[in-house]
PDB file of all heavy atoms in Angstrom:
ATOM      1  N   ARG A1163      -1.524 -42.288  14.588  1.00 98.00           N
ATOM      2  CA  ARG A1163      -1.308 -41.012  14.017  1.00 98.00           C
ATOM      3  C   ARG A1163       0.055 -40.383  14.506  1.00 98.00           C
ATOM      4  O   ARG A1163       0.749 -39.781  13.730  1.00 98.00           O
ATOM      5  CB  ARG A1163      -2.465 -40.105  14.383  1.00 98.00           C
ATOM      6  CG  ARG A1163      -3.746 -40.429  13.712  1.00 98.00           C
ATOM      7  CD  ARG A1163      -4.715 -39.224  13.760  1.00 98.00           C
ATOM      8  NE  ARG A1163      -5.982 -39.576  13.113  1.00 98.00           N
ATOM      9  CZ  ARG A1163      -7.083 -39.850  13.788  1.00 98.00           C
ATOM     10  NH1 ARG A1163      -7.088 -39.826  15.102  1.00 98.00           N
ATOM     11  NH2 ARG A1163      -8.217 -40.143  13.147  1.00 98.00           N
ATOM     12  N   VAL A1164       0.299 -40.536  15.764  1.00 98.00           N
ATOM     13  CA  VAL A1164       1.561 -39.992  16.313  1.00 98.00           C
ATOM     14  C   VAL A1164       2.769 -40.713  15.674  1.00 98.00           C
ATOM     15  O   VAL A1164       3.826 -40.119  15.410  1.00 98.00           O
ATOM     16  CB  VAL A1164       1.616 -40.093  17.838  1.00 98.00           C
ATOM     17  CG1 VAL A1164       2.922 -39.617  18.369  1.00 98.00           C
ATOM     18  CG2 VAL A1164       0.468 -39.201  18.423  1.00 98.00           C
ATOM     19  N   ALA A1165       2.614 -42.028  15.468  1.00 97.00           N
ATOM     20  CA  ALA A1165       3.683 -42.736  14.852  1.00 97.00           C
ATOM     21  C   ALA A1165       3.958 -42.239  13.396  1.00 97.00           C
ATOM     22  O   ALA A1165       5.139 -42.126  12.973  1.00 97.00           O
ATOM     23  CB  ALA A1165       3.363 -44.265  14.746  1.00 97.00           C
ATOM     24  N   ARG A1166       2.901 -41.891  12.675  1.00 97.00           N
ATOM     25  CA  ARG A1166       3.090 -41.309  11.346  1.00 97.00           C
ATOM     26  C   ARG A1166       3.852 -39.984  11.435  1.00 97.00           C
ATOM     27  O   ARG A1166       4.669 -39.682  10.609  1.00 97.00           O
ATOM     28  CB  ARG A1166       1.723 -41.090  10.713  1.00 97.00           C
ATOM     29  CG  ARG A1166       1.188 -42.333   9.967  1.00 97.00           C
ATOM     30  CD  ARG A1166       0.059 -41.977   9.057  1.00 97.00           C
ATOM     31  NE  ARG A1166      -1.194 -42.009   9.812  1.00 97.00           N
ATOM     32  CZ  ARG A1166      -2.187 -41.111   9.741  1.00 97.00           C
ATOM     33  NH1 ARG A1166      -1.999 -40.048   8.952  1.00 97.00           N
ATOM     34  NH2 ARG A1166      -3.313 -41.194  10.427  1.00 97.00           N
ATOM     35  N   LEU A1167       3.459 -39.168  12.450  1.00 97.00           N
ATOM     36  CA  LEU A1167       4.163 -37.867  12.636  1.00 97.00           C
ATOM     37  C   LEU A1167       5.586 -38.081  12.903  1.00 97.00           C
ATOM     38  O   LEU A1167       6.462 -37.400  12.354  1.00 97.00           O
ATOM     39  CB  LEU A1167       3.472 -37.097  13.800  1.00 97.00           C
ATOM     40  CG  LEU A1167       4.135 -35.798  14.200  1.00 97.00           C
ATOM     41  CD1 LEU A1167       4.038 -34.767  13.137  1.00 97.00           C
ATOM     42  CD2 LEU A1167       3.518 -35.247  15.537  1.00 97.00           C
ATOM     43  N   ARG A1168       5.908 -39.010  13.811  1.00 96.00           N
ATOM     44  CA  ARG A1168       7.303 -39.281  14.150  1.00 96.00           C
ATOM     45  C   ARG A1168       8.106 -39.767  12.874  1.00 96.00           C
ATOM     46  O   ARG A1168       9.249 -39.362  12.689  1.00 96.00           O
ATOM     47  CB  ARG A1168       7.385 -40.370  15.239  1.00 96.00           C
ATOM     48  CG  ARG A1168       7.014 -39.943  16.602  1.00 96.00           C
ATOM     49  CD  ARG A1168       7.458 -40.988  17.644  1.00 96.00           C
ATOM     50  NE  ARG A1168       7.196 -40.551  19.009  1.00 96.00           N
ATOM     51  CZ  ARG A1168       6.150 -40.969  19.749  1.00 96.00           C
ATOM     52  NH1 ARG A1168       5.305 -41.870  19.170  1.00 96.00           N
ATOM     53  NH2 ARG A1168       5.947 -40.569  20.945  1.00 96.00           N
ATOM     54  N   ALA A1169       7.482 -40.616  12.128  1.00 95.00           N
ATOM     55  CA  ALA A1169       8.142 -41.135  10.931  1.00 95.00           C
ATOM     56  C   ALA A1169       8.433 -39.989   9.939  1.00 95.00           C
ATOM     57  O   ALA A1169       9.557 -39.940   9.336  1.00 95.00           O
ATOM     58  CB  ALA A1169       7.291 -42.197  10.243  1.00 95.00           C
ATOM     59  N   TRP A1170       7.540 -39.093   9.798  1.00 96.00           N
ATOM     60  CA  TRP A1170       7.713 -37.957   8.939  1.00 96.00           C
ATOM     61  C   TRP A1170       8.860 -37.054   9.420  1.00 96.00           C
ATOM     62  O   TRP A1170       9.771 -36.712   8.667  1.00 96.00           O
ATOM     63  CB  TRP A1170       6.417 -37.137   8.786  1.00 96.00           C
ATOM     64  CG  TRP A1170       6.603 -35.899   7.871  1.00 96.00           C
ATOM     65  CD1 TRP A1170       6.459 -35.872   6.507  1.00 96.00           C
ATOM     66  CD2 TRP A1170       6.915 -34.585   8.333  1.00 96.00           C
ATOM     67  NE1 TRP A1170       6.663 -34.562   6.059  1.00 96.00           N
ATOM     68  CE2 TRP A1170       6.999 -33.809   7.123  1.00 96.00           C
ATOM     69  CE3 TRP A1170       7.223 -34.036   9.540  1.00 96.00           C
ATOM     70  CZ2 TRP A1170       7.305 -32.469   7.200  1.00 96.00           C
ATOM     71  CZ3 TRP A1170       7.513 -32.645   9.603  1.00 96.00           C
ATOM     72  CH2 TRP A1170       7.546 -31.888   8.418  1.00 96.00           C
TER      73      TRP A1170
END
Side-chain angles (χ1 to χ4, degrees):
R1163 289 199 182 102
V1164 175
R1166 275 192 274 137
L1167 174 66
R1168 287 194 176 102
W1170 178 87

